[in-house]
């Protein structure tokens, strides 16, 4: 039964968010995707699945993550009260583990002993390797050669956790190619393998599943801001690569008309230069990796490479639910450049004693941009979805410092 | 003697007819056919056209022409590389259709099917693609990432315009799903003999024979088998149990082996690739 007057009713039974989403995969994979959907539907209806997930989220991840008032930043900017949702304090240092725990419990229920994944920044890879170690599953991580180069610390962490990291040398050697390679693996190892997608993209039911697993972020924010301020926030801000941390923050608030939602894409060197990863600002609808969504592509339908200082944001697409929320105007999507993200990174370190990952540094750049002009009683919550330790080499390089 | 006052009318859907006619001819000849795959514009437009024009003479019964795409998820390294070479040499959908038109101008009999991924078609415009492909002389299309669940996108409109929509079936397609997969399939059924990507390991002859038997219980359409067929022997073995054997990666690898350091076609390319196709053709004819 379609629910009217809600933004939270999607997708339809075939995985469509309006025009977007769907299941555009090769026939070899189709039975597998349908199997994942059946298993997920059963798990969702089973209270023991949620209980088990909640247990690990509390005792392994350390949820709930704090909602933190960034007092000095608030004071410096002189406007909105700025809160950080501290998902960078999770075990493994980012929001990615929320999703991986959900997936691994499902894989376990499905009896799949082998996990594959395709991280960009590597946070998803670290989280995947972590949950595989936790549950004793074989873990193979496909990562673009270029991303391996700029995320060395994460690659080493994955290996320490027992994962096999496979450098992807095809195409542009970044996230999209890692995803192609993971799909090629899945198509080859159909019987024993579970594909752990790290963002709200891919064929149905992945965008929905990942959103559901990440929605804990927004649900906690609701309780925490009610406790701290006695009312709902006015604005939520999150960065967008594929868009999982943003979907996780936004979903619980989609039907709250007083809460404005802002997603921040990576503008790289600037949207006007063409060297960016802003699929909504600079892309058009197309079909890739199992779903229809906005894609960076040329006029022949060939996929372009996203470009961003942040390895986690340079995917040339975006989750289909974001594409839909963009079209209907429920979420406003803006962008921040590499330079703005770097400035925000430094400012966060200096004002709050937190090294944010370069991904949420993009969200922070927008917070810095708008905060001063908002009234003092305005409540703004930004998802600080990852910590910046993994990025210190990239940042040093950008600042001309040799380590 | 009767003199026809009007020329005989073309059949209503000549493109569809070519596939049916060719499989009927193969049946009469008592052998399975050879389907050869090359990527449009690989290694460059002119070499590709020369190759296409010579393939039927070398023994190709059907031609499968790949539409280049940056992200061919179901393809192995050989065809990925072919796609990138083609794109680098300026391939695009309009050029692919140019190739088909040029081929068709000299060959009205050999069926030609396009194979690829949905995004370049979607960007070109599905309606426009169907119209232009049919007008250029395309007989059927295979779109890897359009399962029956997304039939409204291209399959149903293609059928209306007389273009066959050729579906892949795989070892993971169980009997229950087979009905769904075959529902709007036309021209022939393409059986992917392995769970895997193009150019990977081969299935055994017994497994292929069993799979073809199973498909024949569900459909009267001819069955072509592909993925992992690399040698004349293998092509011959498959052609004995199926209606056609598809060879792709092995041909494309021959193209790659005949490029100079800058990736340009060497003068030996055509002869070498066509020699290989002749050997494959001898294989399916049992002349090994």
């Amino acid at each position: 039964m379609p629910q009217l007057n809600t933004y939270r009713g999607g997708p339809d039974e075939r995985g469509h968010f309006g025009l977007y989403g769907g299941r555009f995969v090769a026939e070899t994979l189709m039975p597998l995707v349908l199997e994942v959907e059946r298993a997920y539907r059963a798990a969702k209806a089973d209270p023991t699945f949620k209980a088990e997930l909640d247990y690990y989220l509390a005792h392994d991840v350390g949820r709930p993550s704090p909602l933190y008032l960034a007092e000095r930043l608030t004071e410096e900017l002189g406007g909105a009260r700025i809160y950080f949702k501290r998902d960078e304090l999770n075990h493994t240092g980012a929001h990615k583990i929320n999703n991986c725990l959900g997936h691994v419990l499902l894989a376990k229920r499905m009896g799949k002993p082998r996990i594959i994944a395709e991280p960009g920044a590597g946070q998803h890879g670290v989280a995947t390797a972590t949950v595989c170690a936790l549950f004793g599953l074989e873990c193979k991580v496909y990562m673009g050669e270029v991303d391996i180069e700029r995320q060395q610390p994460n690659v080493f962490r994955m290996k320490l956790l027992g994962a096999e990291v496979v450098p992807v040398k095809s195409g542009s050697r970044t996230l999209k190619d890692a995803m192609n390679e993971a799909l090629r693996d899945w198509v080859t190892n159909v019987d024993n393998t579970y594909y752990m997608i790290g963002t709200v993209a891919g064929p149905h039911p992945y965008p929905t599943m990942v959103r559901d697993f990440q929605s804990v972020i927004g649900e906690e924010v609701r309780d925490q801001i009610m406790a701290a301020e006695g009312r709902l926030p006015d604005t939520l801000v999150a960065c967008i690569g594929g868009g999982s941390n943003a979907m996780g923050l936004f979903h619980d608030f989609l039907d709250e008309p007083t809460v404005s939602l802002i997603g921040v894409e990576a503008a790289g060197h600037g949207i006007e230069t063409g060297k960016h990863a802003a699929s909504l600002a600079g892309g058009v609808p197309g079909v890739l990796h199992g779903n229809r969504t906005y894609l960076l592509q040329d006029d022949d339908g060939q996929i372009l490479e996203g470009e961003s200082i942040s390895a986690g944001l340079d995917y040339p697409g975006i989750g289909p639910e974001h594409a839909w929320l963009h079209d209907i105007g429920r979420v406003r999507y803006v962008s921040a450049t590499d330079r703005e993200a770097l400035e925000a990174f430094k400012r966060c370190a200096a004002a709050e004693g937190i090294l944010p990952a370069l991904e949420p540094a993009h969200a922070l750049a927008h917070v810095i941009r708008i905060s001063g002009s908002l009234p003092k009683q305005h409540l703004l919550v930004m998802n600080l979805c990852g910590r910046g330790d993994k990025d210190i080499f990239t940042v040093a390089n950008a600042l001309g410092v040799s380590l | 003697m009767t003199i026809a006052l009007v020329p005989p009318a073309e059949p209503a859907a000549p493109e569809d007819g070519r596939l049916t006619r060719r499989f009927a001819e193969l049946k009469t000849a008592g052998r399975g056919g050879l389907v050869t795959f090359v990527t449009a514009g690989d290694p460059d437009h002119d070499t590709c056209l020369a190759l296409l024009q010579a393939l039927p003479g070398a023994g190709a019964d059907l031609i499968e022409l790949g539409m280049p795409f940056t992200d061919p998820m179901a393809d192995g390294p050989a065809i990925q590389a072919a796609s990138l070479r083609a794109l680098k040499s300026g391939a695009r959908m309009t050029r692919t259709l140019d190739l088909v038109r040029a081929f068709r101008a000299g060959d009205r009999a050999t069926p030609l099917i396009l194979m690829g991924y949905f995004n370049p078609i979607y960007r070109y415009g599905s309606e426009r693609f169907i119209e232009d492909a049919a007008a250029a002389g395309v007989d059927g299309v295979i779109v890897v990432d359009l399962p029956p669940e997304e039939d409204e996108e291209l399959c149903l409109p293609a059928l209306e315009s007389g273009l066959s929509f050729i579906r892949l079936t795989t070892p993971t397609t169980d009997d229950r799903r087979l009905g769904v997969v075959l529902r709007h399939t036309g021209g022939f059924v393409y059986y992917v003999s392995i769970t895997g990507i193009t150019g990977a390991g081969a299935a055994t002859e017994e497994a292929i024979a069993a799979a073809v038997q199973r498909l024949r219980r569900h459909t009267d359409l001819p069955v072509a088998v592909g993925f992992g067929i690399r040698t004349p022997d293998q092509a011959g073995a498959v052609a004995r149990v199926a209606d056609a054997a598809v060879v792709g990666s092995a041909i494309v690898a021959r193209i790659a082996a005949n490029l100079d350091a800058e990736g340009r076609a060497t003068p030996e390319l055509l002869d070498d690739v066509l020699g290989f196709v002749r050997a494959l053709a001898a294989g399916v004819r049992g002349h090994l």
Side-chain angles (χ1 to χ4, degrees), chain B residues 156-207:
Chain B
L156 300 182
L159 291 181
E160 272 174 37
S161 69
L163 213 55
S164 292
F165 200 85
I166 296 149
R167 199 92 73 181
L168 304 179
T169 67
T170 74
T172 60
T173 315
D174 62 20
D175 279 353
R176 198 165 37 131
R177 186 160 171 80
L178 209 45
V180 179
V181 172
L182 292 172
R183 195 169 55 220
H184 295 123
T185 297
F188 64 92
V189 180
Y190 187 132
Y191 179 66
V192 174
S193 61
I194 53 157
T195 55
I197 52 179
T198 53
T204 63
E205 202 176 331
E206 295 74 45

Side-chain angles (χ1 to χ4, degrees), chain B residues 189-264:
Chain B
V189 180
Y190 187 132
Y191 179 66
V192 174
S193 61
I194 53 157
T195 55
I197 52 179
T198 53
T204 63
E205 202 176 331
E206 295 74 45
I208 292 173
V212 172
Q213 290 296 316
R214 181 168 77 100
L215 282 171
R216 286 193 172 138
R217 285 199 296 275
H218 288 85
T219 179
D220 294 330
L221 288 169
V223 179
V225 175
F227 281 47
I229 304 171
R230 313 190 63 85
T231 66
D233 274 341
Q234 289 173 322
V238 169
R240 275 196 295 279
V241 297
D243 298 294
V246 187
V247 183
S249 295
I251 294 174
V252 165
R254 283 288 175 130
I255 294 176
N258 283 280
L259 302 175
D260 67 16
E262 274 80 53
R264 287 179 306 233

Side-chain angles (χ1 to χ4, degrees), chain A residues 14 22-28 30-31 170 176 180 184 187-188 286-287 292 297-303, chain B residues 68-73 75 80 92-93 119 122-123 144-145 147 149-150 153 168 170 172-173 177 195-196:
Chain A
R14 287 163 60 210
R23 265 190 292 233
F24 297 87
V25 294
E27 177 56 28
T28 312
M30 203 56 210
S170 60
K176 81 174 172 75
N180 293 335
R184 290 178 188 125
V187 110
T188 307
V287 172
R292 185 186 348 247
Q297 56 178 314
D298 68 13
D299 62 0
D300 191 45
Q302 308 299 335
I303 308 303
Chain B
F69 184 44
T70 40
D71 294 76
M73 281 89 69
D75 283 300
Q80 290 173 40
R92 46 187 294 121
M93 189 62 84
N119 198 56
Y122 183 64
R123 192 72 213 268
V144 177
D145 52 355
E149 280 74 3
E150 307 290 349
E153 297 287 339
L168 304 179
T170 74
T172 60
T173 315
R177 186 160 171 80
T195 55

Side-chain angles (χ1 to χ4, degrees), chain A residues 97-164:
Chain A
I97 191 134
N98 304 331
N99 175 49
C100 289
L101 270 174
H103 279 303
V104 82
L105 293 175
L106 189 63
K108 206 162 63 95
R109 285 170 75 103
M110 293 172 73
K112 303 283 185 185
R114 182 175 179 272
I115 303 290
I116 54 171
E118 69 337 311
Q123 290 300 120
H124 173 54
V126 171
T128 302
T130 298
V131 299
C132 287
L134 182 61
F135 289 94
L137 304 178
E138 184 189 339
C139 178
K140 194 162 185 172
V141 169
Y142 290 93
M143 198 162 168
E145 248 185 357
V146 171
D147 290 335
I148 285 184
E149 189 49 49
R150 52 182 176 174
Q151 299 289 332
Q152 278 297 337
N154 272 345
V155 173
F156 186 55
R157 287 162 79 196
M158 285 176 231
K159 289 179 179 167
L160 287 174
L161 290 160
E164 183 191 348

